[in-house]
């Protein structure tokens, strides 16, 4: 690699070529990620074909200036764009070309500026931009480049490094922005594709084109848990997918704005990009004939592609089967409180039935949750003494195999859930989960709902009371005091972890203060404080080895 | 004429025993930014874990080039006519592919067989050791291929992870993806099955993890050898060896640190245990 102070069109062509071969290696993996906007599973392939068209055109550029080559890249992308992601990619290259206009070569400053233009152009072509997609990724990457330049540390390589890093972070973040990704447990496919392209370009800049022959791009994974679909929402509306319609329009005197306005209501995922003589149009529509009739009134159409998206969707489902985790066995849990619901969800329960101490769920509610889960073998975690019996009615109401793990407290439910053996069969798991629940102790700190005299305790209404594994053991005036007294009753020598779930009526600050108090008494123990949001109980505390 | 055995550095067989067993190790590469290290050759495990924990740069790894394998084939061809290469899982690394491609690059005549062990770490290492011993006892290449294929089904690797961060970042998380994102601190226990990472279960503490590991080893009625490896928790590994010595004589328990290349993906605080079941007679 020669000077990295500035690059010319030839370098740019090299970056695109390396990026394309880098993308090629993971195109199939990217295909498997695709769920948005329609799960047709060809994003990787579409982006790859678009890139190839760019690279071919790049070799036809009239000279080796950055301006001419970037223009050719943009033109090639526009001519060869396929699918949503391909068209957006072509917009990105078109923005980049605008940024490099008139330049023989470009520096880090020019690149940063051009990336900004690329991001702006990407948003412009889309009727209804959605965050958490390739759009967000190009925006974040461009912003990061800007930041790097402002820090005054901008060599071309360092800018591209920052750009690739930021793109990677941005891709990992897409499920946070787009719920459908989170539900499917994937990152955005177009974003992953763009990241791979940027990384490929970086490899070229570093002079690693040779080395990467034997390497593979990394698929980014999000660190978010796959979210659980709430049972009530299972009657998902069936959207008729229609036809993915794409073509290039050549003519005179039309504007993309005009076309966009005309087609806006004719379908979804509308993209119109190009200029007054050449435009590329992409739309998901029920009536492709209508669209094409309109287009032919404006000029001639080329590279027409009309694909049935239901068929694409079926192919996609087939592809998904390979990467979907085995969902042979699922778990349904009865949980109250947003925080605890999140905890159970993050640990992989398939459905949550809201309920607990004072709001026992009905048989029907639990049954509904069981039915909403695709698996045929289901564990139910009642997590409360008063729910167990209801849960045990389910087996007689469904053909699915049901096993009720006799968990009486939330910590028992979590212990059972964690003990699940991924490779073990249903019977073995029933045993593992049953055993695990008995290895955890539960302390619950709540308030007396009325005055009572139980055993040797004289309890006043609203007094703080403490239960150990469901048995009333102590009363007092301070939650921390009661909790400490109860912990003193336990043999903590063999214990390792205390988890404190604080309730809806308890502040995080108080919970931290309580945990600090316990830490002082038991410095050897690991203490974790988690927001539970459970009603009634100030604290649910799990103590385990 | 003895068949020569080659493996890659992820087998975690310590440099102390490779010469006596006649095993040649081809190193993978660990990269910190612009610095490149040959696994367990130009970087020691101690140096590596220090940088992994305290360094600012996240390491990446790459497989050996076909040429690296071809050079070793040519070197060994002066002593033997038959070579067996046993590599880590082809689904986790391109090392197997490099070893295969190298066959056409080698210039000296020599028969080379390459086997994908579908394992990593000592899950691979115990298979290699078993093959090397058989080679020293005069087994032919064909016999060794059969032996290794059998050993692959007898080698069971499980690992306790302190975090899945490293595995996810390195893109090798495989079927354990669903374990990510827990709102509680959990310690995953994973296995490598059919060449890929699969989840086994989750525990909440190292001691619970060690209990699980002990019970795992105890579930095998007949054990040929066991390997105990760790990334940064040597004391716990020693403790585990003491416990396991009731299940398997100590001389059959191999102990080693996890190589930097595997450590890049497992992170600190990890324990790995391999059981090589005895052959059923």
């Amino acid at each position: 690699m020669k000077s990295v102070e500035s690059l010319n069109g030839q370098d740019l062509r090299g970056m695109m070529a390396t990026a394309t071969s880098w993308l090629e290696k993971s195109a199939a993996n990217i295909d498997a990620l695709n769920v948005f906007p329609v799960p047709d599973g060809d994003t990787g392939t579409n982006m790859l074909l678009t890139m190839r068209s760019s690279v071919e055109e790049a070799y036809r550029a009239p000279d080796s200036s950055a301006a001419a080559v970037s223009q050719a890249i943009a033109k090639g992308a526009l001519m060869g764009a396929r699918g949503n992601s391909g068209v957006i990619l072509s917009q990105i290259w078109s923005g980049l070309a605008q940024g490099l206009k008139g330049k023989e070569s470009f520096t880090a400053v020019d690149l940063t500026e051009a990336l900004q233009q690329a991001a702006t152009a990407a948003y412009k072509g889309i009727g209804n931009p959605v965050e958490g997609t390739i759009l967000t990724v190009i925006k974040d990457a461009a912003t990061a480049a800007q930041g790097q330049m402002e820090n005054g540390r901008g060599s071309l390589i360092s800018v591209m490094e920052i750009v690739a890093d930021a793109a990677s972070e941005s891709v990992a973040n897409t499920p946070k922005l787009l719920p459908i990704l989170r539900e499917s447990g994937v990152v955005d496919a177009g974003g992953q594709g763009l990241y791979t392209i940027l990384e490929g370009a970086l490899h070229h800049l570093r002079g690693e084109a040779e080395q990467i022959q034997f390497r593979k791009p990394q698929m980014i994974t999000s660190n978010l848990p796959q979210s659980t679909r709430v049972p009530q929402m299972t009657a998902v509306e069936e959207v008729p997918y229609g036809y993915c319609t794409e073509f290039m329009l050549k003519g005179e005197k039309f504007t993309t704005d005009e076309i966009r306005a005309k087609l806006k209501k004719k379908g979804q995922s509308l993209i119109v990009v190009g200029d007054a003589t050449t435009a590329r149009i992409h739309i998901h529509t029920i009536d492709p004939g209508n669209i094409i009739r309109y287009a032919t009134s404006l000029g001639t159409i080329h590279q027409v592609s009309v694909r049935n998206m239901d068929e694409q969707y079926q192919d996609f489902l087939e592809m998904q089967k390979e990467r979907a985790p085995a969902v042979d066995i699922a778990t349904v849990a009865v949980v109250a409180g947003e925080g605890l619901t999140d905890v159970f969800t993050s640990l992989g329960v398939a459905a949550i039935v809201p309920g607990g101490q004072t709001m026992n769920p009905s048989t029907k509610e639990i049954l509904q949750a069981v039915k909403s889960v695709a698996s045929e073998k289901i564990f139910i975690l009642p997590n409360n003494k008063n729910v167990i019996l209801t849960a045990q009615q389910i087996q007689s109401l469904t053909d699915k195999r049901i096993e009720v793990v006799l968990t009486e407290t939330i910590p028992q439910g979590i212990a059972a859930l964690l003990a699940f053996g991924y490779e073990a069969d249903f019977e073995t798991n029933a045993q593992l989960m049953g055993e695990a629940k008995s290895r955890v102790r539960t302390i619950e700190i709540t308030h007396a709902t009325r005055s009572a005299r139980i055993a040797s305790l004289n309890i006043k209404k609203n007094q703080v009371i403490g239960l150990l594994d469901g048995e009333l053991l102590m009363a007092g005036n301070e939650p921390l005091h009661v909790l400490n007294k109860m912990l003193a009753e336990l043999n903590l020598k063999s214990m390792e972890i205390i988890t404190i779930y604080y309730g809806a009526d308890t502040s995080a600050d108080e919970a931290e203060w309580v945990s600090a108090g316990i830490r002082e008494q038991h410095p050897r123990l690991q203490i974790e404080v988690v927001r539970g949001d459970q009603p009634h109980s100030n604290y649910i505390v799990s103590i385990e080895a | 004429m003895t068949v020569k055995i080659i493996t890659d550095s992820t087998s975690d067989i310590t440099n102390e025993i490779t010469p006596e067993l006649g095993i040649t190790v081809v190193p993978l590469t660990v990269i910190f930014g612009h610095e490149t290290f040959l696994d367990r050759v130009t970087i020691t495990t101690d140096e590596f874990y220090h940088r992994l924990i305290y360094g600012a740069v996240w390491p990446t790894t790459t497989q050996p080039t076909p040429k690296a394998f071809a050079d070793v084939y040519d070197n060994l061809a002066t002593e033997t006519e038959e070579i067996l290469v046993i590599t880590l899982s082809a689904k986790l690394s391109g090392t197997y592919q490099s070893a295969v491609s190298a066959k056409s690059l080698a210039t000296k005549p020599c028969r080379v067989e390459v086997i994908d062990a579908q394992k990593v770490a000592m899950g691979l290492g115990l298979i290699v050791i078993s093959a090397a011993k058989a080679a020293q006892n005069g087994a032919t290449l064909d016999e060794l291929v059969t032996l290794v294929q059998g050993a692959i089904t007898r080698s069971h690797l499980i690992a306790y992870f302190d975090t899945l961060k490293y595995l996810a970042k390195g893109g090798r998380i495989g079927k354990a993806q669903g374990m990510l994102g827990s709102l509680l601190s959990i310690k995953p226990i994973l296995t490598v099955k059919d060449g890929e990472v699969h989840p086994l279960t989750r525990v909440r503490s190292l001691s619970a993890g060690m209990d699980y590991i002990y019970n795992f080893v105890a579930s095998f009625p007949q054990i040929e050898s066991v390997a105990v490896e760790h990334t940064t928790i040597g004391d716990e590994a020693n403790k585990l060896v003491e416990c396991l010595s009731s299940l398997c004589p100590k001389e059959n328990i191999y102990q080693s640190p996890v190589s930097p290349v595997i450590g890049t993906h497992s992170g600190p605080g990890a324990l790995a245990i391999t059981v090589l079941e005895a052959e059923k007679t």
Side-chain angles (χ1 to χ4, degrees):
Chain A
M1 190 87 251
K2 54 178 193 310
S3 161
V4 277
E5 287 300 305
S6 75
L7 299 169
N8 60 22
Q10 216 163 343
D11 302 320
L12 192 59
R13 198 153 50 202
M15 285 163 79
M16 288 299 276
T18 309
T20 305
S21 41
W22 191 235
L23 179 66
E24 186 169 3
K25 288 167 181 252
S26 64
N29 293 341
I30 295 172
D31 284 349
L33 284 181
N34 190 358
V35 290
F36 183 85
V38 176
D40 50 10
D42 56 4
T43 298
T45 310
N46 283 339
M47 293 181 84
L48 177 61
L49 294 170
T50 308
M51 285 295 284
R52 279 194 187 142
S53 174
S54 279
V55 173
E56 274 171 34
E57 197 63 34
Y59 282 98
R60 292 195 202 113
D63 57 63
S64 288
S65 69
V69 173
S70 64
Q71 200 63 52
I73 286 168
K75 186 180 167 205
L78 179 63
M79 309 289 269
R82 289 188 205 216
N84 262 319
S85 46
V87 179
I88 298 175
L89 191 59
S90 79
Q91 281 299 91
I92 292 175
W93 298 145
S94 141
L96 195 85
Q98 277 161 37
L100 298 179
K101 210 170 199 169
K103 293 200 192 312
E104 184 63 33
S105 61
F106 61 100
T107 62
V109 180
D110 300 329
L111 177 63
T112 304
E113 176 53 32
L115 282 169
Q116 284 295 344
Q117 297 221 25
T120 312
Y123 276 83
K124 245 174 90 185
I126 314 301
N128 176 27
V130 177
E131 294 297 340
T133 62
I134 181 172
L135 294 174
T136 315
V137 176
I138 184 68
K139 184 182 67 186
D140 290 349
T143 309
Q146 197 92 44
Q148 174 79 351
M149 291 311 293
E150 278 159 16
N151 286 338
R153 281 175 296 163
S155 77
L156 271 161
I157 289 185
S158 76
V159 167
M160 274 311 285
E161 274 169 352
I162 292 292
V163 162
D165 265 3
S168 147
E169 298 275 317
S170 181
V171 171
N173 199 38
T174 53
K176 268 189 204 145
L177 300 172
L178 203 53
I180 189 173
L181 297 174
R182 199 173 162 193
E183 278 167 19
S184 314
V186 297
V187 297
D188 180 65
Q192 167 77 44
L194 180 62
Y195 159 68
T196 308
I197 289 167
L198 294 169
E199 197 195 27
L202 172 63
H203 282 309
H204 182 85
L205 276 185
R206 283 186 181 154
E208 296 168 342
E210 293 266 312
Q211 282 120 286
I212 62 169
Q213 273 182 21
F214 301 106
R215 286 166 59 185
K216 254 195 108 169
Q218 182 199 331
M219 295 300 290
I220 294 175
T221 48
S222 162
N223 53 9
L224 276 183
Q226 186 165 344
S227 67
T228 313
R229 280 167 209 141
V230 182
Q232 284 83 341
M233 283 171 57
T234 45
V236 187
E237 66 274 40
E238 291 280 314
V239 186
Y241 279 125
Y243 300 88
C244 174
T245 309
E246 285 182 78
F247 54 87
M248 186 136 71
L249 175 62
K250 286 186 181 169
E252 286 163 34
K253 289 188 282 181
F254 54 72
T255 69
T256 50
D257 285 345
E258 172 197 335
I259 299 172
R260 198 174 297 127
K262 181 83 184 175
L263 296 182
K264 211 158 147 190
K265 296 227 168 85
K266 306 257 187 248
Q268 278 135 22
S269 297
L270 172 68
I271 308 180
V272 182
V273 299
D275 52 36
T277 55
T278 312
R280 183 163 274 279
I281 292 151
H282 170 282
I283 189 168
H284 295 164
T285 178
I286 304 291
D287 185 359
N290 194 1
I291 307 285
I292 287 171
R293 209 169 311 122
Y294 166 68
T296 44
S297 75
L298 297 176
T300 56
I301 59 173
H302 307 262
Q303 298 176 8
V304 182
S305 150
V306 177
R307 286 171 302 160
N308 182 324
M309 289 194 288
D310 290 327
E311 277 173 20
Q312 282 181 287
Y313 183 60
Q314 289 310 321
D315 291 347
F316 175 75
L317 286 184
E318 280 302 307
M319 202 154 66
Q320 284 296 296
K321 277 188 192 155
E322 288 206 352
R323 63 174 287 281
V327 283
D328 179 33
I329 305 174
T331 308
V332 169
V334 180
V335 179
E338 204 181 309
L340 286 175
T341 299
D342 288 346
V343 168
F344 274 84
T345 302
S346 80
L347 295 174
V349 295
I352 300 269
V353 183
Q357 186 59 30
T358 53
M359 37 168 207
N360 300 157
S362 66
T363 314
K364 194 179 151 203
E365 285 168 311
I366 303 178
L367 181 64
Q368 215 172 11
V370 163
K371 282 185 174 165
S372 77
V373 174
S375 316
E376 287 301 309
K377 296 173 188 165
I378 293 172
F379 287 108
I380 302 177
L381 303 175
N383 301 337
N384 191 294
K385 241 189 243 178
N386 301 332
V387 179
I388 291 179
L389 201 60
T390 319
Q392 284 170 333
Q393 307 311 307
I394 304 298
Q395 183 63 87
S396 60
L397 301 170
T398 174
D399 290 339
K400 298 186 178 190
R401 274 191 72 188
I402 305 291
E403 177 79 33
V404 179
V405 186
L406 305 177
T407 56
E408 297 182 353
T409 67
I410 289 288
Q412 287 182 4
I414 289 171
L417 190 56
L418 287 176
F420 181 82
Y422 290 74
E423 302 276 310
D425 60 21
F426 196 63
E427 291 74 18
T428 314
N429 266 317
Q431 193 191 338
L432 287 171
M433 293 168 89
E435 283 167 5
K437 79 160 179 29
S438 55
R439 286 198 295 266
V440 58
R441 306 299 302 266
T442 304
I443 293 176
E444 209 175 330
I445 305 291
T446 177
H447 285 83
T449 50
R450 59 183 174 83
S451 301
R453 193 186 296 270
I454 299 167
S456 61
L457 293 172
N458 195 358
I459 300 159
K460 294 187 211 70
K461 190 177 175 190
N462 282 335
Q463 211 182 4
V464 176
I465 51 173
L467 296 89
L468 177 63
D469 297 327
E471 300 297 327
L472 185 58
L473 198 71
M474 246 164 235
N477 298 317
E478 276 294 321
L480 175 61
H481 185 64
V482 175
L483 183 52
N484 265 328
K485 259 170 63 186
M486 294 192 59
L487 286 171
E489 295 278 308
L490 293 172
N491 177 14
L492 291 177
K493 266 207 182 112
S494 57
M495 297 302 185
E496 228 172 85
I497 298 183
I498 294 189
T499 315
I500 302 172
Y501 304 94
Y502 61 93
D505 303 329
T506 307
S507 74
D509 289 347
E510 191 197 296
E512 284 300 339
W513 179 74
V514 164
S515 87
I518 298 172
R519 202 166 280 139
E520 207 169 282
Q521 296 266 320
H522 309 279
R524 197 187 53 85
L525 293 173
Q526 241 186 83
I527 302 174
E528 208 174 338
V529 179
V530 179
R531 184 174 60 91
D533 298 324
Q534 68 274 13
H536 313 300
S537 316
N538 297 68
Y539 298 104
I540 296 174
V541 182
S542 135
I543 304 112
E544 60 201 302
Chain B
M1 183 208 65
T2 318
V3 179
K4 292 290 175 186
I5 307 289
I6 300 175
T7 187
D8 60 71
S9 58
T10 69
S11 64
D12 291 343
I13 305 170
T14 56
N15 299 339
E16 283 85 60
I17 63 172
T18 43
E20 63 177 272
L21 288 166
I23 298 167
T24 309
V25 178
V26 177
L28 280 78
T29 304
V30 180
I31 304 159
F32 282 96
H34 296 288
E35 288 177 89
T36 311
F37 300 97
L38 290 177
D39 194 22
R40 293 197 285 134
V41 178
T42 57
I43 189 166
T44 66
T45 48
D46 287 347
E47 284 161 6
F48 169 78
Y49 288 112
H50 191 268
R51 288 187 72 149
L52 183 69
I53 298 168
Y54 302 106
V57 188
W58 202 287
T60 56
T61 57
T62 60
Q63 72 226 42
T65 58
K67 183 165 184 312
F69 275 104
D71 289 348
V72 175
Y73 298 169
D74 280 344
N75 260 334
L76 292 176
T78 57
E79 305 167 39
T80 186
E81 284 162 12
E82 292 183 322
I83 293 175
L84 177 61
V85 190
I86 311 168
T87 72
L88 84 157
S89 165
K91 288 189 184 150
L92 298 175
S93 160
T95 303
Y96 169 79
Q97 207 43 56
S98 280
V100 171
S101 313
K103 291 208 273 183
S104 57
L105 291 180
T107 52
K108 304 226 170 71
C110 187
R111 183 179 159 211
V112 180
E113 290 293 333
V114 184
I115 299 182
D116 167 11
Q118 300 166 41
K119 303 274 178 337
V120 288
M122 273 301 217
L124 162 65
L126 290 184
I127 296 170
V128 173
I129 291 172
S130 193
K133 285 181 176 169
Q136 286 182 332
N137 289 330
T140 65
L141 183 51
D142 291 327
E143 286 165 349
L144 288 173
V145 168
T146 313
L147 180 141
V148 167
Q149 267 147 5
I152 288 171
T153 64
R154 291 185 285 116
S155 163
H156 308 279
L157 165 72
I158 68 170
Y160 163 95
F161 280 59
D162 189 52
T163 167
L164 282 176
K165 195 168 72 175
Y166 295 81
L167 200 60
K169 186 106 180 170
R172 304 297 202 285
I173 195 154
K175 304 273 190 273
Q177 168 120 38
M179 282 186 168
L180 285 172
S182 160
L183 293 175
L184 292 184
S185 80
I186 55 140
K187 316 293 177 187
I189 295 182
L190 309 176
T191 186
V192 175
K193 202 181 80 176
D194 304 325
E196 268 187 290
V197 174
H198 284 252
L200 275 180
T201 196
R202 299 172 284 197
V203 294
R204 295 212 58 201
S205 65
L206 180 56
S207 69
M210 285 171 63
D211 283 349
Y212 185 93
I213 288 168
Y214 179 87
N215 290 329
F216 167 78
V217 178
S219 71
F220 294 96
Q222 292 209 300
I223 295 173
E224 182 176 317
S225 54
V226 170
V228 175
E229 301 173 72
H230 71 97
T231 57
T232 54
I233 46 175
D235 290 348
E236 279 76 10
N238 289 337
K239 235 184 272 172
L240 194 58
V241 170
E242 286 307 318
C243 293
L244 292 177
S245 59
S246 63
L247 301 172
C248 176
K250 250 189 182 169
E251 61 270 23
N252 293 345
I253 302 181
Y254 293 87
Q255 237 185 308
S256 61
V258 175
S259 76
V261 164
I262 299 297
T264 299
H265 300 283
S266 69
L271 271 177
I273 274 65
T274 303
V275 173
L276 187 65
E277 274 182 282
E279 260 177 295
K280 292 186 182 82
T281 44

